[in-house]
Amino acid sequence: MRLLVVPGPSQAQAPARYWVSFRDKAGVQFDPAHYFSPAAQARRQRQGLPAADFSDRPVPPAYVAAVQARVDTLTLVSRWFNAVACRATPAQAAALRQLPVVASVVAWPLASRLRPASYYKTEKQVASPSQSAAGRPAVSPADYLLARQQTAALGRADLSRAGLLGQGVRIAVFDVGFRGADWHPAFRALRRERRIVATYDFLKNQPGVFRGGSHGTEVLGCLAGRLPGPDTLHLGPALGLAPAATYLLARTEGLASERYSEEEAWLRAAEWADQQGADIISSSLAYTEQRYFPEQMDGRHSLIGRAATLAARKGMLVVSAAGNDGDDDWGRIGTPADADSVLAVGGLDPATGLHLAFSSVGPSADRRLKPDVSAFGIVLTANASGGFERVEGTSFSAPLVAGLAACAQQAGGGKLTAMELFRQVREAGELYPYYDYAHGYGRPEASRLLARRLGPPPAPEPTFDFVVHDSLVAVVLRPAATVPAARPLPLVAETDELAAGTTDWLTPPTPERPPGTPTAPDVRPVGKEHDAPPGPAPALPPYPAYPGRLYWHLANARGVLHRYEVRAATQRLVVQVPRRLAKNGNVLRVYYQGYTGQYAE
């Protein structure tokens, strides 16, 4: 006997989340000069964008009032989508569909695939670091070296010589909270120069963002933080590439759970960032199996992915963490990194220069290249306790690249559209035009970015040859490419970190430790992304001392990869591939030491 369970009246009429779209914006009066800040107006003018378009106009207040009068709760009003989100019973939703101004009413799921905790695992609380005799937070020599490497890997020296530190560029940071950023010494210059120009908590609807989570503090450190200087009057080395940029800080993410309201908060923050004149959005979050299926990671199914695409149309480059699911069952990138107009950033291991196992991989569900580029996924940054800690995650790869993009925008006089900036950063990748689904186009380099502004780069000299046999095609390195190139030894300090009249930063600080403490303190990552075993920080070689490696992949006629691999170049014959795999439109593509070649039959 089967028991049929019929939902009771209370279940049938339980409020659910709905998305209500309107047919038009009839009768709305709109003055762009009144709505947009002077910075937003200037950005649109520089980029050759219209002062406003249809999506900038507000939703007619009468339409909003009509919905509000018929539902339990209104949770979002969106200009860009000409829509509202609400909680309503099925009967109320049916009544909304009868309104002449309503184009559609669709279910906007409230909870189904939610994890019990934040996507980035749990946030760790850490004790304040030890203090040196001068009262400055102590930084070990190994961590000091990592701090220098994470920016040197992207071309800090070239940007410094060009005078590019992000001046005049507005960066909006969307995150879980910025606890401690309002007093941390790493952000002293930001506060003194009043370059945090706006803040807003879109979950609590209040301006304060300096309480709650600290993940945003760590992310902001990878954009604008600085290590302590020799005294309170001088600044130490920058932890990111845009220490002179202007910042907008938005809280869009909660700590305890992944709610659908967070995507609504992200959309509201994006519209606010546009209004405030942001040039770049740095977003270190990724939604995956909490609410979506793998086949939906195409940038069109998620609200946040569609919002990020609209942000790009408004002239804002969205830089997003690829995610940290590379070593679990999900594996692939999350949203909004899946959107085609979003610059998705993967993580690299500083010790090897290669993809970190936890960094999510591509492609997108519709087989587009993701991630787009990569940067260090293990970094030194500021923490909420007033010190500096080593953390792991693509959350920190993204702001490093966002800082590089800010410098590119500064170099272009702020006139680059979001997609022009997107393409420039992509093409600055060390592997470009080679790519794979772990590294994207690789680590973007400032020297490539600046050189491309002067014109097409000269064709690189071939470093290998394809040698064809009866059934195999072999990749053989040229003799000249096997001789290591001479490299100047990097200085410990460079001109971008030396204050006038002082050379105190020619050597890293040596903090005093209480008697009985170990000489190499245990260093644990404190970000919410990825746990690492305790123990001394590994010694890293001066950047860039990575050994020669050869990258190769097999792609079909559409550029979709069948296979890709990285091999150590320990002999001239590096790889052999069956010729049959390079037929029927398939392409064997190889990268080695700046040169990309391809073979097809």
Side-chain angles (χ1 to χ4, degrees):
M1 178 179 178
R2 299 179 62 187
L3 179 64
L4 179 64
V5 179
V6 179
S10 60
Q11 290 177 291
Q13 295 300 315
R17 191 182 295 273
Y18 290 91
W19 186 262
V20 182
S21 299
F22 299 111
R23 297 183 183 278
D24 54 47
K25 292 185 176 181
V28 172
Q29 301 297 319
F30 178 60
D31 179 9
H34 177 73
Y35 174 72
F36 289 111
S37 69
Q41 296 175 54
R43 186 201 71 216
R44 291 191 171 215
Q45 186 175 16
R46 288 194 307 269
Q47 296 189 16
L49 299 173
D53 59 28
F54 175 82
S55 64
D56 296 316
R57 295 175 175 272
V59 179
Y63 295 4
V64 177
V67 173
Q68 195 165 20
R70 291 168 171 80
V71 301
D72 290 356
T73 306
L74 204 66
T75 60
L76 168 72
V77 178
S78 172
R79 293 176 178 236
W80 287 2
F81 287 95
N82 193 26
V84 298
C86 64
R87 294 179 188 272
T89 65
Q92 290 171 334
L96 291 178
R97 293 187 179 97
Q98 304 305 312
L99 293 175
V101 299
V102 171
S104 65
V105 179
V106 297
W108 170 231
L110 175 61
S112 55
R113 297 168 55 82
L114 301 187
R115 288 178 175 176
S118 168
Y119 167 71
Y120 289 121
K121 281 76 176 180
T122 58
E123 183 182 19
K124 293 185 177 181
Q125 304 294 328
V126 295
S128 298
S130 59
Q131 303 289 316
S132 68
R136 302 192 304 269
V139 179
S140 72
D143 282 344
Y144 180 91
L145 177 59
L146 175 60
R148 304 310 295 133
Q149 286 182 326
Q150 67 198 41
T151 53
L154 300 176
R156 178 197 69 248
D158 294 287
L159 296 174
S160 177
R161 283 190 289 269
L164 301 174
L165 298 173
Q167 296 97 320
V169 179
R170 290 196 166 203
I171 303 175
V173 185
F174 297 176
D175 217 286
V176 73
F178 301 85
R179 178 160 50 90
D182 54 340
W183 59 266
H184 198 296
F187 309 111
R188 183 182 296 118
L190 279 184
R191 297 190 299 272
R192 183 176 65 239
E193 298 167 13
R194 301 183 183 276
R195 286 188 285 108
I196 299 177
V197 295
T199 63
Y200 201 80
D201 183 335
F202 288 91
L203 296 180
K204 294 187 176 181
N205 295 314
Q206 61 184 26
V209 297
F210 298 115
R211 295 187 178 184
S214 62
H215 188 264
T217 306
E218 297 157 5
V219 168
L220 183 62
C222 293
L223 278 159
R226 284 187 178 271
L227 288 173
D231 52 55
T232 58
L233 299 178
H234 298 98
L235 300 173
L239 295 168
L241 295 176
T246 300
Y247 288 90
L248 314 168
L249 307 183
R251 180 174 181 254
T252 65
E253 181 88 351
L255 275 174
S257 66
E258 294 290 356
R259 302 187 301 272
Y260 282 92
S261 60
E262 292 168 348
E263 291 194 53
E264 296 178 11
W266 200 100
L267 169 58
R268 290 177 60 201
E271 294 188 12
W272 169 79
D274 179 36
Q275 181 187 21
Q276 297 295 323
D279 300 287
I280 296 168
I281 294 173
S282 179
S283 176
S284 287
L285 53 87
Y287 298 120
T288 55
E289 62 181 337
Q290 310 97 323
R291 63 195 69 174
Y292 297 110
F293 293 97
E295 60 270 20
Q296 295 176 312
M297 294 291 96
D298 59 5
R300 298 188 297 274
H301 281 81
S302 69
L303 174 63
I304 196 173
R306 289 180 285 132
T309 299
L310 275 175
R313 294 178 185 172
K314 301 292 184 179
M316 296 180 289
L317 174 68
V318 180
V319 182
S320 176
N324 303 315
D325 286 305
D327 55 359
D328 63 27
D329 291 340
W330 176 268
R332 67 178 62 213
I333 58 168
T335 190
D338 59 336
D340 62 357
S341 302
V342 171
L343 192 71
V345 186
L348 299 177
D349 187 343
T352 65
L354 297 176
H355 170 258
L356 279 162
F358 64 73
S359 179
S360 296
V361 298
S364 63
D366 52 350
R367 313 301 287 176
R368 286 176 289 103
L369 173 64
K370 291 291 175 178
D372 298 287
V373 293
S374 299
F376 282 10
I378 301 174
V379 303
L380 188 78
T381 190
N383 63 26
S385 300
F388 300 88
E389 294 287 342
R390 184 175 294 229
V391 293
E392 297 185 353
T394 59
S395 278
F396 312 112
S397 311
L400 288 174
V401 171
L404 177 64
C407 294
Q409 184 65 278
Q410 179 190 351
K415 298 180 180 180
L416 299 176
T417 65
M419 295 317 296
E420 288 172 340
L421 190 54
F422 175 93
R423 287 189 292 270
Q424 285 198 11
V425 175
R426 256 187 160 200
E427 293 174 7
E430 63 172 336
L431 303 180
Y432 187 86
Y434 180 88
Y435 59 91
D436 64 34
Y437 295 146
H439 305 88
Y441 288 116
R443 171 175 45 82
E445 297 175 321
S447 58
R448 287 171 168 260
L449 192 151
L450 297 174
R452 285 178 180 273
R453 297 185 55 79
L454 303 177
E461 289 292 328
T463 57
F464 58 86
D465 296 291
F466 294 105
V467 179
V468 181
H469 302 285
D470 289 341
S471 60
L472 296 172
V473 55
V475 179
V476 181
L477 302 183
R478 293 190 174 187
T482 63
V483 178
R487 297 179 184 273
L489 292 175
L491 295 175
V492 174
E494 291 159 0
T495 55
D496 63 323
E497 63 190 48
L498 290 175
T502 179
T503 56
D504 287 0
W505 281 101
L506 286 176
T507 56
T510 303
E512 290 187 357
R513 297 185 176 89
T517 58
T519 56
D522 285 350
V523 179
R524 291 174 179 265
V526 300
K528 294 178 285 297
E529 284 82 353
H530 203 78
D531 293 331
L540 300 177
Y543 182 84
Y546 302 133
R549 298 188 182 95
L550 183 140
Y551 298 70
W552 69 276
H553 71 222
L554 280 166
N556 66 15
R558 294 177 49 231
V560 177
L561 302 187
H562 301 307
R563 179 179 176 183
Y564 58 91
E565 190 177 26
V566 182
R567 290 198 177 184
T570 58
Q571 57 185 10
R572 290 185 60 200
L573 175 59
V574 184
V575 65
Q576 297 182 91
V577 177
R579 288 179 60 184
R580 59 181 173 79
L581 298 180
K583 295 182 179 181
N584 302 320
N586 291 336
V587 176
L588 168 63
R589 193 171 286 114
V590 179
Y591 168 91
Y592 184 67
Q593 290 189 0
Y595 173 70
T596 299
Q598 64 182 42
Y599 174 86
E601 296 189 2

